[in-house]
Amino acid sequence: AVAPGNLFVALAGARDGHAYVEAARRAGATGALVSRPSPGPAVRVGDTLSALGDMAVAARRRAVRTRRAAITGSVGKTSVTQAVLSALKRAGDGHGPVKSFNNHIGVPLTLARMPATTERAVFELGMNHAGEIAPLSRLVCPHVAAITNVEAVHVENFPDGVAGVARAKAEIFAGLEPGGVAVLNADSAHYGFLSEAALAAQATVRSFGVAEGADARLQGSAVGGAGTIVEATVDGQRVAYRLRQNGAHWGSMSLCALLVLQALGVERSAALLALASFEPLAGRGAVHSRVGPNGPFLLVDESYNASPVSVRAALTGLPRRSPNGRRLVALTDMLELGSEAAALHAELRRPIIASEIAKVYCAGPLMRSLWDGLPAAVRGAWAASAAELAPTVAEAVQAGDIIMVKGSNASKASLVVEALLAMSEAGE
């Protein structure tokens, strides 16, 4: 990823970045940040990760007119962050992460790259354990903090389950600037707890969802092949707009993005136009029209991540994408679900049957729990891994099919997508 003029930061992890200093210099890096003697121009510090954090703080302090937003949540935080970023770039000098850079390396990296002239910026904050979001929030010092939702994701790392996840998400208020805005999901079972935490941080709470009294209240959404039409009431005014994303959950997620943008000073009309033009992200709903050996088909790439709630939402929306064609799904293991993992996989049987999925293809030991409970007519194939399943799925796709691929990133659902893309050509 090194480009001419970059500073290469040599981090020590599973691989030691110092081994790549020379390669980075050949790729055009102007210099390197190192913790031991290295070839070429370099700045030597005791700890390069700590120094990256120092550069992030310096970048934040020099950008004196920048209004910053931070977004977290169990589901949808990357897509909402990128949607907000797309709108910020249209509205002026906007800045944000190039992808889901949401951890102790990605957040300071994004902040350190922020130009001094930036008007508005957005950051994505992620976590697997308690105590990870608070330091990131204190690094960013957001003026706006948003939580898309709280769901059973990473619950294996929390003894008290989803309640622990909610507390971890509330850490986003740790660095909120005085008088900041908290954007919260009014439909969440944890809304009361999160709003109290936001008020304790002296934030103004803004809410979205279908719940009565929400500042941005979803009145309805219609999902079709061309996207989603959203109808809502925002601060008492009726609005309607079209999204390029398919999925009922995008109604609420777009309202979250809208409230964040308004809190950052983007006019509503400009924000709605930007949201309407935002393309689905690779691995997060991107749609590919392809022509395989058996004819044209539609591929929905949801391979980057998966949780019970996101898989159910994706399955529910699939019939609206293709009301007539045969519907196929390829699912790989959902990870970090704790002791309930097998049961949560098995429960996907209901939305699969309700959505009239023709064939289901599964990969991984956890997905075996789903596979064993499926009707025989719906079973496509099961394999121990995504790599083993991929060629079977590629051979199964017929003309007129729509196939959705979804799974946790670490369970390699992307290998199934790659196999489908490799055996086909782009459609009309």
Side-chain angles (χ1 to χ4, degrees):
V2 173
N6 284 176
L7 172 70
F8 179 75
V9 182
L11 300 177
R15 293 178 293 178
D16 189 347
H18 291 83
Y20 301 91
V21 170
E22 180 60 28
R25 189 174 64 81
R26 290 196 301 269
T30 302
L33 187 65
V34 299
S35 59
R36 65 171 185 259
S38 297
V43 175
R44 187 175 173 184
V45 295
D47 184 299
T48 51
L49 182 58
S50 176
L52 178 62
D54 291 341
M55 286 195 294
V57 172
R60 188 193 72 220
R61 289 175 175 169
R62 73 181 181 182
V64 293
R65 67 189 184 115
T66 305
R67 286 189 58 80
R68 300 173 299 277
I71 297 172
T72 191
S74 298
V75 180
K77 61 182 175 294
T78 300
S79 293
V80 171
T81 299
Q82 293 298 323
V84 168
L85 176 58
S86 174
L88 295 185
K89 288 181 175 180
R90 286 170 170 263
D93 194 348
H95 177 75
V98 295
K99 55 177 72 173
S100 57
F101 286 177
N102 62 24
N103 65 5
H104 65 293
I105 297 173
V107 173
L109 176 63
T110 301
L111 195 52
R113 287 173 166 174
M114 186 172 70
T117 56
T118 301
E119 296 176 38
R120 305 176 185 91
V122 62
F123 301 85
E124 178 185 344
L125 310 189
M127 67 89 194
N128 294 319
H129 297 80
E132 293 179 337
I133 287 182
L136 300 179
S137 177
R138 294 189 182 103
L139 192 65
V140 173
C141 293
H143 300 89
V144 184
I147 302 175
T148 59
N149 45 44
V150 176
E151 301 289 348
V153 180
H154 308 305
V155 288
E156 72 174 14
N157 301 322
F158 295 89
D160 54 350
V162 184
V165 176
R167 284 197 305 276
K169 296 300 183 186
E171 292 177 21
I172 196 170
F173 306 128
L176 189 66
E177 291 280 9
V181 175
V183 177
L184 303 176
N185 190 331
D187 301 330
S188 171
H190 304 276
Y191 175 73
F193 166 75
L194 295 174
S195 60
E196 287 180 7
L199 292 172
Q202 300 182 333
T204 298
V205 175
R206 300 275 284 159
S207 60
F208 64 92
V210 300
E212 187 174 354
D215 296 302
R217 189 180 184 193
L218 182 65
Q219 303 292 343
S221 61
V223 181
T228 303
I229 298 175
V230 180
E231 294 184 357
T233 303
V234 182
D235 295 326
Q237 294 184 341
R238 297 280 294 192
V239 296
Y241 52 97
R242 182 185 294 274
L243 301 172
R244 298 192 179 186
Q245 285 74 16
N246 288 88
H249 64 291
W250 259 101
S252 287
M253 291 301 97
S254 66
L255 291 177
C256 175
L258 180 61
L259 290 183
V260 170
L261 288 165
Q262 289 187 182
L264 289 174
V266 178
E267 291 186 6
R268 184 181 302 165
S269 58
L272 290 174
L273 285 173
L275 291 174
S277 64
F278 178 63
E279 295 279 359
L281 301 174
R284 293 181 169 89
V287 178
H288 304 275
S289 178
R290 312 297 289 187
V291 179
N294 299 318
F297 67 94
L298 205 62
L299 168 62
V300 182
D301 179 8
E302 291 270 6
S303 62
Y304 188 81
N305 221 335
S307 65
V309 65
S310 68
V311 174
R312 285 195 300 271
L315 288 168
T316 301
L318 203 57
R320 301 186 185 102
R321 291 176 181 262
S322 179
N324 301 316
R326 193 174 66 142
R327 296 185 281 276
L328 313 178
V329 294
L331 304 173
T332 64
D333 284 352
M334 303 180 292
L335 304 179
E336 298 186 18
L337 296 178
S339 60
E340 299 296 314
L344 291 169
H345 282 74
E347 287 172 7
L348 296 177
R349 178 181 184 273
R350 289 190 219 174
I352 284 172
I353 294 173
S355 300
E356 299 181 344
I357 305 300
K359 292 290 181 182
V360 178
Y361 299 85
C362 297
L366 292 172
M367 275 298 167
R368 185 77 202 202
S369 299
L370 168 63
W371 173 259
D372 289 341
L374 288 173
V378 178
R379 293 179 180 175
W382 175 87
S385 68
E388 295 174 64
L389 183 69
T392 302
V393 175
E395 292 174 5
V397 178
Q398 302 291 323
D401 287 352
I402 179 170
I403 178 164
M404 180 183 73
V405 181
K406 193 163 181 65
S408 290
N409 189 39
S411 62
K412 305 295 183 183
S414 60
L415 295 178
V416 180
V417 173
E418 290 172 10
L420 288 165
L421 294 176
M423 53 78 76
S424 60
E425 301 175 351
E428 290 294 326

